Amino acid sequence: MQEISIGLLGLGTIGSGVYKLLQEHEEELEFQLGSKLVIKKILINDINKKRMIDGRKIPSKLLTNNPKEIFDNDEIQVVIEVIGGVENAKNYMIKALEAGKSVVTANKDVIAKHGVYLSELATKNSCDLFYEASVAGGIPIIRSLTEGLASDKITRIMGIVNGTTNYILTKMTYDNMSYKDALKQAQDLGFAEPDPTSDVDGLDAARKMVILSSLGFSMPITLSDVYTRGIGKVEKEDISYSDNLGYTIKLVGFADIVKGKVEVSVQPTLLPKDHPLASVNNENNAVYLYGEAVGETMFFGPGAGAMPTATAIVSDVITVGKRLKLDVSGKHMINFKNERTIKSEEEIWAKFYLRLNVKDEVGVLNDITTVFAKEKLSFESVLQKPTKNPKDASLIIVTHKVVLKSYIKALKKLKELETINCIKSSYRVFCD
Ligand code: HSE
């Protein structure tokens, strides 16, 4: 096989990165694969727009706005999907697989929702489906989970898998920047999604955790299994009180499995400052894995951006190419070994951070302690700080480890106390 022919769907930031990488690393890629990787057609919306990459014009004969020129082209063996979105992208992937073409995609939205169906369709059509770029951009985390650590039993996956929110929290923590200004910077720097709601609300990270936990625990986790909470309500006070208490607030994807039962969440979490993820700053991503045999491992790097994401895509293309040459396309489907079993609120244990606005008067602590005692909840630390209103005070509490159900009950009872004006914030605190 002299050449592996590619159809590229989309020529935005990532598509342009893929085009550039294929050009710039042409020789190395050919050496690794023993065949040339050649883009035959690129699907774009506006055929009249002049397309330049690094000052060089993309030959117009490569460009088309007719998807048939890719799906009906027998020469094309691999389709790279980088148009984004859900419906169109999914339908294109289906068309490609049904036409016997392997698919490489960066689309976490589609994979988190339709990955199982698409994988089965790929197998049925003797094709491959690879999606390394869908999680944590340039970090080869999917390959690490499914190949590098295939021999181990993974029991915990923790990730900072959204660059936008990590950037915002870093700027709020270290540069005293407001949430709004930090988000604007993240958008200007190009790592936020077109609609940053999915970043800041945690949905983007939740989709990535669906993919990682499904592969890591060999179980078909769905988006509705992921408790998801974004960073929109994190205030500077929480960041600085957490700091006083020895913690850093990060948007953490957390997944663990105990006796076959799984919990998966994405939420602002207080990480002890000596946790390996606590020092992952700016737009960087990192994934921490715990395996029964290997112990702790951590993977760090750029989670977004044209060239890092392109490395993951083109590496997948190399894998597809090698498999085409070996004539084993479609023969690797990852079957889930385990049935989906999710922990209940009685089975999830954690510590919690609470910031209460209380009346600064005798008996407040006693009221809180009484509620806590009923739910077998105890304090790890308590801070009292003044508020603008001299009659009130802020109480900052970190609890000891407690079962989630009891904590939720305690919160409900705290809300009913007359001495408590309001619960300002409540976050999970990482503990082993
Ligand atoms: N919006 C994503 C992020 C890009 O901020 O990490 C990569 O999925």
Side-chain angles (χ1 to χ4, degrees):
M1 219 178 268
Q2 295 240 304
E3 275 186 15
I4 306 278
S5 301
I6 299 169
L8 178 61
L9 308 179
L11 195 60
T13 312
I14 310 293
S16 304
V18 169
Y19 185 91
K20 194 171 154 184
L21 194 71
L22 285 170
Q23 306 283 312
E24 283 180 359
H25 294 190
E26 194 180 358
E27 245 179 65
E28 292 80 359
L29 294 172
E30 186 174 352
F31 176 76
Q32 281 198 52
L33 192 54
S35 302
K36 260 187 190 314
L37 287 173
V38 181
I39 296 186
K40 289 280 171 192
K41 279 286 167 201
I42 305 174
L43 182 70
I44 48 168
N45 271 332
D46 182 359
I47 198 85
N48 297 314
K49 196 168 147 190
K50 207 165 141 196
R51 309 277 172 165
M52 308 284 288
I53 291 179
D54 278 354
R56 274 187 294 168
K57 192 171 172 278
I58 298 187
S60 48
K61 67 171 192 319
L62 289 185
L63 303 173
T64 178
N65 57 5
N66 179 4
K68 282 181 174 236
E69 287 194 34
I70 290 182
F71 302 124
D72 295 350
N73 182 335
D74 290 337
E75 259 187 324
I76 292 179
Q77 296 143 296
V78 190
V79 167
I80 301 175
E81 182 282 311
V82 281
I83 56 168
V86 178
E87 278 313 303
N88 256 351
K90 180 189 83 181
N91 291 334
Y92 283 152
M93 287 189 231
I94 291 174
K95 276 200 177 124
L97 294 169
E98 284 177 345
K101 303 179 193 310
S102 290
V103 169
V104 171
T105 180
N107 197 318
K108 66 247 164 193
D109 306 27
V110 172
I111 295 299
K113 207 165 168 199
H114 305 289
V116 173
Y117 169 74
L118 291 170
S119 291
E120 284 170 4
L121 188 65
T123 306
K124 206 168 121 196
N125 289 284
S126 305
C127 300
D128 288 326
L129 170 71
F130 284 98
Y131 44 88
E132 180 62 72
S134 66
V135 181
I139 307 174
I141 189 62
I142 291 183
R143 206 160 272 123
S144 301
L145 263 179
T146 57
E147 291 177 24
L149 292 168
S151 56
D152 206 353
K153 281 189 193 162
I154 302 297
T155 55
R156 180 169 290 171
I157 303 168
M158 287 174 71
I160 292 180
V161 286
N162 182 270
T164 303
T165 46
N166 201 36
Y167 187 84
I168 294 172
L169 291 174
T170 304
K171 293 291 162 194
M172 286 172 76
T173 305
Y174 298 105
D175 297 346
N176 202 29
M177 204 179 264
S178 73
Y179 173 89
K180 234 174 115 189
D181 289 347
L183 171 59
K184 170 85 180 39
Q185 267 198 7
Q187 285 175 299
D188 293 346
L189 289 165
F191 22 85
E193 298 295 308
D195 173 4
T197 323
S198 64
D199 292 302
V200 296
D201 287 355
L203 185 59
D204 177 80
R207 288 172 172 142
K208 293 166 181 167
M209 289 306 292
V210 166
I211 298 172
L212 292 181
S213 55
S214 297
L215 295 172
F217 304 147
S218 194
M219 194 183 278
I221 307 291
T222 65
L223 202 52
S224 58
D225 298 325
V226 186
Y227 171 78
T228 306
R229 200 176 147 197
I231 63 160
K233 296 220 161 75
V234 176
E235 292 184 37
K236 278 194 188 163
E237 282 99 318
D238 295 313
I239 291 177
S240 83
Y241 294 143
S242 303
D243 183 61
N244 285 180
L245 293 161
Y247 296 98
T248 305
I249 301 189
K250 295 282 184 193
L251 184 72
V252 175
F254 180 90
D256 89 346
I257 184 162
V258 177
K259 294 187 186 142
K261 288 194 169 181
V262 163
E263 71 166 291
V264 191
S265 66
V266 168
Q267 56 190 311
T269 302
L270 276 73
L271 289 174
K273 284 184 191 169
D274 60 359
H275 190 281
L277 288 174
S279 49
V280 175
N281 287 323
N282 296 314
E283 72 277 25
N284 288 309
N285 280 201
V287 180
Y288 165 102
L289 301 176
Y290 190 89
E292 273 184 12
V294 73
E296 295 180 301
T297 55
M298 193 163 103
F299 303 78
F300 169 91
M307 296 317 283
T309 308
T311 62
I313 291 170
V314 175
S315 295
D316 276 351
V317 174
I318 294 175
T319 306
V320 168
K322 285 181 180 163
R323 295 171 58 77
L324 275 166
K325 294 175 78 164
L326 292 169
D327 199 18
V328 292
S329 306
K331 296 207 173 86
H332 86 126
M333 196 198 137
I334 297 160
N335 289 308
F336 293 123
K337 178 175 158 275
N338 303 311
E339 263 182 44
R340 185 179 142 269
T341 320
I342 307 296
K343 285 189 209 171
S344 70
E345 283 173 358
E346 281 108 333
E347 292 164 310
I348 295 176
W349 287 80
K351 289 190 199 175
F352 293 93
Y353 161 100
L354 255 179
R355 176 159 63 96
L356 308 172
N357 181 288
V358 301
K359 296 201 168 97
D360 193 9
E361 56 191 44
V362 177
V364 179
L365 262 183
N366 190 39
D367 286 354
I368 297 171
T369 315
T370 309
V371 169
F372 271 34
K374 276 211 178 112
E375 298 306 330
K376 297 195 173 56
L377 186 52
S378 59
F379 301 116
E380 180 185 274
S381 42
V382 184
L383 278 179
Q384 178 165 341
K385 296 280 177 185
T387 61
K388 278 181 197 151
N389 181 347
K391 289 188 178 158
D392 296 337
S394 268
L395 269 188
I396 299 102
I397 298 170
V398 175
T399 71
H400 274 302
K401 207 167 168 178
V402 60
V403 72
L404 178 59
K405 183 149 192 179
S406 298
Y407 179 72
I408 293 171
K409 269 198 206 161
L411 272 190
K412 213 170 145 208
K413 287 186 193 161
L414 288 180
K415 277 184 195 152
E416 288 159 8
L417 289 179
E418 283 204 1
T419 41
I420 294 185
N421 297 323
C422 68
I423 297 176
K424 283 280 191 186
S425 35
S426 159
Y427 297 114
R428 185 165 170 157
V429 177
F430 171 77
C431 63
D432 266 325

